[in-house]
Short mmCIF file of all heavy atoms in Angstrom, two decimals:
data_model
loop_
_atom_site.label_atom_id
_atom_site.label_comp_id
_atom_site.label_asym_id
_atom_site.label_seq_id
_atom_site.Cartn_x
_atom_site.Cartn_y
_atom_site.Cartn_z
N ALA W 123 111.32 -76.32 95.49
CA ALA W 123 112.34 -75.35 95.92
C ALA W 123 112.87 -74.59 94.70
O ALA W 123 114.07 -74.34 94.59
CB ALA W 123 113.45 -76.07 96.66
N ILE W 126 116.40 -72.74 93.86
CA ILE W 126 117.39 -73.00 94.91
C ILE W 126 118.33 -74.10 94.39
O ILE W 126 117.88 -75.11 93.85
CB ILE W 126 116.72 -73.50 96.22
CG1 ILE W 126 115.61 -72.54 96.66
CG2 ILE W 126 117.75 -73.76 97.31
CD1 ILE W 126 116.07 -71.24 97.23
N ASN W 128 120.39 -77.36 94.23
CA ASN W 128 120.04 -78.66 94.80
C ASN W 128 120.69 -78.92 96.16
O ASN W 128 120.03 -79.40 97.08
CB ASN W 128 120.39 -79.77 93.80
CG ASN W 128 119.53 -81.01 93.99
OD1 ASN W 128 118.51 -80.96 94.69
ND2 ASN W 128 119.93 -82.09 93.37
N LEU W 130 121.46 -76.85 98.39
CA LEU W 130 120.97 -75.93 99.41
C LEU W 130 119.50 -76.17 99.78
O LEU W 130 118.97 -75.49 100.66
CB LEU W 130 121.14 -74.48 98.93
CG LEU W 130 122.58 -74.04 98.66
CD1 LEU W 130 122.60 -72.63 98.10
CD2 LEU W 130 123.44 -74.15 99.91
N ILE W 131 118.86 -77.13 99.12
CA ILE W 131 117.45 -77.40 99.39
C ILE W 131 117.30 -78.03 100.77
O ILE W 131 118.01 -78.96 101.13
CB ILE W 131 116.83 -78.31 98.31
CG1 ILE W 131 116.84 -77.58 96.96
CG2 ILE W 131 115.42 -78.74 98.68
CD1 ILE W 131 116.40 -78.44 95.78
N ASP W 132 116.37 -77.50 101.55
CA ASP W 132 116.08 -77.98 102.89
C ASP W 132 115.01 -79.09 102.80
O ASP W 132 113.84 -78.81 102.57
CB ASP W 132 115.57 -76.81 103.74
CG ASP W 132 115.28 -77.17 105.17
OD1 ASP W 132 115.08 -78.36 105.49
OD2 ASP W 132 115.22 -76.24 106.00
N ASN W 133 115.44 -80.34 102.98
CA ASN W 133 114.52 -81.48 102.83
C ASN W 133 113.41 -81.49 103.88
O ASN W 133 112.31 -81.93 103.60
CB ASN W 133 115.28 -82.81 102.85
CG ASN W 133 116.01 -83.05 101.54
OD1 ASN W 133 115.51 -82.69 100.47
ND2 ASN W 133 117.19 -83.63 101.62
N LYS W 134 113.69 -81.00 105.08
CA LYS W 134 112.64 -80.92 106.11
C LYS W 134 111.56 -79.93 105.68
O LYS W 134 110.37 -80.15 105.87
CB LYS W 134 113.22 -80.51 107.47
CG LYS W 134 113.99 -81.62 108.14
CD LYS W 134 114.49 -81.19 109.50
CE LYS W 134 115.29 -82.33 110.12
NZ LYS W 134 115.87 -81.95 111.39
N LYS W 135 111.99 -78.84 105.10
CA LYS W 135 111.06 -77.84 104.59
C LYS W 135 110.25 -78.40 103.42
O LYS W 135 109.05 -78.16 103.32
CB LYS W 135 111.87 -76.61 104.13
CG LYS W 135 111.14 -75.32 104.15
CD LYS W 135 112.19 -74.21 103.94
CE LYS W 135 111.57 -72.90 103.65
NZ LYS W 135 112.55 -71.84 103.42
N ILE W 136 110.90 -79.19 102.56
CA ILE W 136 110.21 -79.86 101.44
C ILE W 136 109.13 -80.78 102.00
O ILE W 136 107.99 -80.75 101.54
CB ILE W 136 111.20 -80.67 100.57
CG1 ILE W 136 112.15 -79.74 99.83
CG2 ILE W 136 110.47 -81.61 99.62
CD1 ILE W 136 111.55 -78.97 98.68
N ASP W 137 109.46 -81.58 103.00
CA ASP W 137 108.49 -82.50 103.60
C ASP W 137 107.30 -81.75 104.18
O ASP W 137 106.15 -82.16 104.01
CB ASP W 137 109.14 -83.36 104.69
CG ASP W 137 110.12 -84.37 104.13
OD1 ASP W 137 110.04 -84.70 102.93
OD2 ASP W 137 110.97 -84.86 104.91
N TYR W 182 107.19 -73.03 100.24
CA TYR W 182 108.63 -73.15 100.48
C TYR W 182 109.26 -71.78 100.71
O TYR W 182 110.20 -71.63 101.47
CB TYR W 182 109.31 -73.86 99.30
CG TYR W 182 110.74 -74.25 99.60
CD1 TYR W 182 111.03 -75.45 100.24
CD2 TYR W 182 111.80 -73.42 99.27
CE1 TYR W 182 112.34 -75.81 100.54
CE2 TYR W 182 113.10 -73.76 99.55
CZ TYR W 182 113.37 -74.96 100.19
OH TYR W 182 114.67 -75.30 100.49
#
Side-chain angles (χ1 to χ4, degrees):
I126 308 287
N128 206 14
L130 299 176
I131 295 174
D132 182 340
N133 284 324
K134 286 182 182 177
K135 206 169 168 181
I136 292 288
D137 290 340
Y182 191 86

